Amino acid sequence: MIKFNVPPYEEKAMDYIKECVENQKICGDGEYTKKCNAWFEERTGTKKCLLTTSCTHATELAALLADIQPGDEVIMPSFTFVSTADAFVLRGAVPVFVDIRPDTMNIDEKLIEDAITEKTKAIVPVHYAGVACEMDTIMDIAKRHNLKVIEDAAQGVLSTYKGKALGTIGDFGAYSFHETKNYSMGEGGALLIRDEENIEDAEIIREKGTNRSKFYRGQIDKYTWVNFGSSYLPSDMNAAYLYAQLEKADEINNVRLANWNRYYERLLPLKEAGKLELPTVPDGCVHNGHMFYVKLRDLEERTAFIKHLGANDIMSVFHYIPLHTAPAGQKFGRFHGKDVYTTKESERLARLPMYYKLTLNEVDHICDVIEEFFK
Ligand SMILES: *Cc1c(COP(=O)(O)O)cnc(C)c1O
């Protein structure tokens, strides 16, 4: 049986967690949290990285920092995970969904400007499968209309766009370290902050509205309640689990890319024969092997495809139910323009097993089974 996902795990994690427990340092913002934050700051060049309890929470934090208010509109794709919209709906904002590009499944940057109204406050590009959205165009639109950009880079850790790390281009970026992502701490995430001026507010909101971070740095002699806030900091034990993977980040990335490339090479003849479609990585985008998906002819063929893999002990899954067609999406948001690709493309997409521990032999076997399906 080949599973769809196996959470990443590095053996060192047990030593690091044990250290936290033995030193009785298990709450937030301990040594491992600091090490993870510093690692991402160094690696991505962002001004500030703050570990959070999830990518969902990092996005909520960004929505608070961007001062999203009831009635504001936020432009995003409908083909995404619910968290992208939830964070803004919680602020009373209206998600305005626009169509995706069929090649990358990312928001179609050419459709964004038409969706802007006087209520629009932010654009939320989602870097699907760790392949960047067309950020130059998006940043240009945001600048001209004075909008914030919050990157949902949940899947984009270690990916780049024209040399820049995903999550560092917009005002804010959100990473996920859920167990299905490239690097994991079980549940967890991070907020990346581009501009110095937003750092202090972020630290305060993340720490229940207090200036405790400043206190810990010895910048003030007592801490107090200074703003609204919540608790978005993870336990240091979770950070310890993650840090063990960051020490091997490139190795993990390379293994994923090798698996991704093997899928691509092996399935290319089927693509050339017009049997299925493969992911596109535009020029200037370096991806992280987060996901390998194929696109079948239609929903019916996809159902048969997933069933065929299942019958051969290979787990394949699909996603997402477009948000604008879901009950909450209909209640809270609206789709701007025509849904040309969102529904059609999402219905024919199937994800193949992809994780650090997946072997090239297993990828070959999966590709054999896929070839059989088309015979
Ligand atoms: C995984 C994911 C999230 C949510 O991440 P959590 O850490 O589970 O909150 C948000 N957006 C996208 C695109 C994701 O893939």
Side-chain angles (χ1 to χ4, degrees):
M1 162 87 175
I2 302 181
K3 291 185 187 161
F4 170 68
N5 178 57
V6 173
Y9 168 66
E10 280 302 330
E11 266 172 32
K12 277 269 184 62
M14 285 311 267
D15 298 335
Y16 296 164
I17 292 171
K18 197 158 173 265
E19 195 186 308
C20 294
V21 174
E22 285 174 354
N23 294 341
Q24 299 175 2
K25 296 238 166 91
I26 59 171
C27 70
D29 281 343
E31 286 312 306
Y32 284 103
T33 304
K34 285 183 195 149
K35 281 182 172 179
C36 291
N37 290 341
W39 192 91
F40 282 109
E41 285 159 15
E42 158 89 30
R43 181 68 186 234
T44 68
T46 189
K47 277 268 158 43
K48 190 78 192 170
C49 170
L50 294 172
L51 278 199
T52 58
T53 28
S54 65
C55 175
T56 307
H57 279 167
T59 313
E60 280 181 38
L61 196 42
L64 288 164
L65 289 161
D67 195 27
I68 302 297
Q69 296 292 326
D72 288 351
E73 294 179 355
V74 178
I75 296 172
M76 63 181 70
S78 170
F79 181 73
T80 182
F81 189 57
V82 295
S83 303
T84 316
D86 262 331
F88 299 95
V89 168
L90 273 178
R91 306 262 59 78
V94 178
V96 174
F97 303 114
V98 306
D99 210 7
I100 52 167
R101 304 164 36 151
D103 60 346
T104 57
M105 305 296 283
N106 281 335
I107 191 166
D108 188 338
E109 68 281 358
K110 292 191 290 302
L111 302 176
I112 293 174
E113 201 142 18
D114 193 56
I116 294 174
T117 72
E118 56 194 22
K119 290 182 177 164
T120 308
K121 281 286 165 60
I123 306 171
V124 186
V126 179
H127 305 295
Y128 183 68
V131 176
C133 296
E134 194 40 58
M135 290 308 288
D136 278 353
T137 307
I138 292 172
M139 293 310 291
D140 175 61
I141 294 169
K143 200 169 168 199
R144 283 188 286 106
H145 294 270
N146 196 23
L147 306 175
K148 298 276 190 227
V149 174
I150 298 157
E151 297 177 69
D152 181 336
Q155 304 176 8
V157 181
L158 259 61
S159 292
T160 57
Y161 170 82
K162 299 187 181 174
K164 292 183 202 148
L166 300 192
T168 66
I169 304 164
D171 296 78
F172 303 104
Y175 283 169
S176 174
F177 306 120
H178 183 257
E179 70 164 28
T180 53
K181 300 303 199 288
N182 291 26
Y183 306 95
S184 179
M185 51 198 275
E187 299 280 355
L191 177 71
L192 272 60
I193 302 167
R194 188 192 60 199
D195 303 327
E196 190 92 44
E197 73 221 39
N198 290 317
I199 296 175
E200 191 175 335
D201 285 341
E203 286 179 339
I204 289 168
I205 296 173
R206 178 172 168 274
E207 262 279 24
K208 301 116 187 146
T210 73
N211 50 8
R212 195 171 180 168
S213 299
K214 256 183 152 170
F215 172 70
Y216 279 145
R217 284 195 297 263
Q219 292 165 318
I220 44 174
D221 56 14
K222 61 177 187 310
Y223 79 86
T224 185
W225 186 30
V226 291
N227 199 354
F228 55 80
S230 189
S231 186
Y232 291 125
L233 65 170
S235 161
D236 214 45
M237 292 189 289
N238 294 61
Y241 185 93
L242 174 66
Y243 190 68
Q245 291 155 52
L246 297 184
E247 289 182 315
K248 296 210 168 161
D250 290 307
E251 208 174 309
I252 293 173
N253 201 48
N254 290 340
V255 167
R256 296 189 76 109
L257 285 172
N259 283 330
W260 196 100
N261 290 334
R262 180 69 73 106
Y263 269 130
Y264 196 91
E265 281 160 30
R266 285 284 320 262
L267 299 176
L268 194 56
L270 288 172
K271 174 193 152 106
E272 282 164 353
K275 304 278 192 199
L276 50 65
E277 285 170 41
L278 298 177
T280 304
V281 181
D283 284 348
C285 299
V286 176
H287 74 101
N288 57 1
H290 172 64
M291 188 192 303
F292 200 93
Y293 64 84
V294 296
K295 284 197 261 178
L296 290 309
R297 195 178 53 235
D298 52 21
L299 178 59
E300 197 186 342
E301 193 184 53
R302 179 182 72 181
T303 306
F305 178 86
I306 291 176
K307 204 171 151 210
H308 173 77
L309 293 187
N312 286 279
D313 280 337
I314 298 163
M315 257 187 82
S316 163
V317 304
F318 64 82
H319 73 178
Y320 302 101
I321 306 295
L323 297 185
H324 74 286
T325 67
Q330 287 176 351
K331 186 170 165 190
F332 298 121
R334 66 180 162 81
F335 198 95
H336 179 86
K338 263 173 85 180
D339 170 8
V340 178
Y341 294 113
T342 300
T343 299
K344 187 172 137 237
E345 300 299 299
S346 70
E347 281 180 352
R348 60 196 197 94
L349 182 143
R351 299 172 65 186
L352 302 176
M354 174 57 91
Y355 43 87
Y356 176 42
K357 293 280 151 70
L358 186 71
T359 65
L360 287 173
N361 279 339
E362 285 171 322
V363 173
D364 279 333
H365 171 67
I366 294 164
C367 292
D368 291 342
V369 170
I370 292 174
E371 279 168 4
E372 215 174 83
F373 175 78
F374 288 104
K375 269 188 193 140

